[in-house]
Amino acid sequence: MATFVLIPGALHGGWWYRPLTEGLRAAGHEVYPVTLSGVAERGPLNGGGVNLDTHSGEVLGLLEAERITDAVLVAHSYGGMVASAVADRAPERIAALVYADAFVPLDGESAYGIVDDVWKERYLRGTAAGGDGYTMVGLHPGLDPRATAHPLATLLQPVRLTGAGEGVARRTYIHAERFEDTPFLPTYERLRKDPAWAVHTLPVGHDLVREAPEEFLGIVLAAAG
């Protein structure tokens, strides 16, 4: 039995992973789908002080509280920022990393710093629509209606990495090749040339759970060994 910790992308809660969660549990595994502070049902916790350190601290706290020492971290989209920080700070608790069409930052990078000008404009437009100066709303059309505002500071704060996370032996990346205007193409191009990574390409858009549930499940199970 493996232990999966599922980290969602911006504007989404752990509910986004429901089909994957059900598939993993049906296969006999332990699963923790996370909803991060300031998002979804935890939106009331967003008072402007929620940043990337807050989110990574929450996942680290979960690993500690549940005494998880063999986690398979699965991160979608923005969640890759969180997973990278967690793996860097507690590599001894991580058995494998799965980045599902997600950021895989280098030291000192932020989500806002990684994306191109098209996405920077979307972030700014989403912040203006948020109306309070510290949250951002809808980044692109077609979002799940349950998507909520997201803490802006989590996207602006640079991640600090020592390189310890590179000691996690099993690292997998999933590229959604039909995600229009994807901000993750440079990440995919970098990782597919790196022999330390198992890189998969799926002919779908960014919503992997909805568009490729069986393929997504299969890759995640394989990553767990």
Side-chain angles (χ1 to χ4, degrees), residues 120-146:
K120 283 183 170 65
E121 172 59 27
R122 288 179 182 174
Y123 282 6
L124 295 175
R125 202 178 333 126
T127 302
D132 55 20
Y134 57 81
T135 58
M136 179 190 63
V137 297
L139 295 175
H140 54 81
L143 285 174
D144 189 292
R146 292 171 291 179

Side-chain angles (χ1 to χ4, degrees), residues 9 21 30 37 54-55 58 75 80 82 104 131 138 141-142 165 167 170 189 201-202 204 219:
T21 298
E30 193 167 8
S37 283
T54 308
H55 284 174
E58 288 175 340
V82 180
V104 184
R170 298 201 299 275
E189 293 293 348
T201 300
L202 295 178
V204 295
I219 291 171

Side-chain angles (χ1 to χ4, degrees), residues 113-210:
I114 291 172
V115 299
D116 60 20
D117 288 345
V118 171
W119 279 91
K120 283 183 170 65
E121 172 59 27
R122 288 179 182 174
Y123 282 6
L124 295 175
R125 202 178 333 126
T127 302
D132 55 20
Y134 57 81
T135 58
M136 179 190 63
V137 297
L139 295 175
H140 54 81
L143 285 174
D144 189 292
R146 292 171 291 179
T148 67
H150 186 92
L152 181 62
T154 65
L155 304 171
L156 300 179
Q157 184 184 17
V159 67
R160 298 302 177 189
L161 304 174
T162 67
E166 296 177 10
V168 177
R170 298 201 299 275
R171 285 175 277 165
T172 299
Y173 191 84
I174 305 172
H175 172 60
E177 63 180 358
R178 293 183 183 170
F179 181 17
E180 187 176 353
D181 297 325
T182 175
F184 306 118
L185 188 58
T187 299
Y188 164 68
E189 293 293 348
R190 167 165 57 94
L191 298 183
R192 73 185 183 91
K193 301 171 186 175
D194 188 336
W197 287 80
V199 177
H200 303 265
T201 300
L202 295 178
V204 295
H206 192 48
D207 194 345
L208 298 171
V209 164
R210 183 176 63 186

Side-chain angles (χ1 to χ4, degrees), residues 57-105:
E58 288 175 340
V59 178
L60 288 165
L62 170 66
L63 298 180
E64 178 69 26
E66 298 292 344
R67 299 181 178 178
I68 300 171
T69 58
D70 59 347
V72 179
L73 289 189
V74 181
H76 179 241
S77 198
Y78 155 76
M81 301 294 299
V82 180
S84 293
V86 171
D88 189 77
R89 286 156 182 73
E92 72 283 357
R93 291 182 176 274
I94 311 300
L97 290 162
V98 180
Y99 290 80
D101 213 34
F103 292 114
V104 184

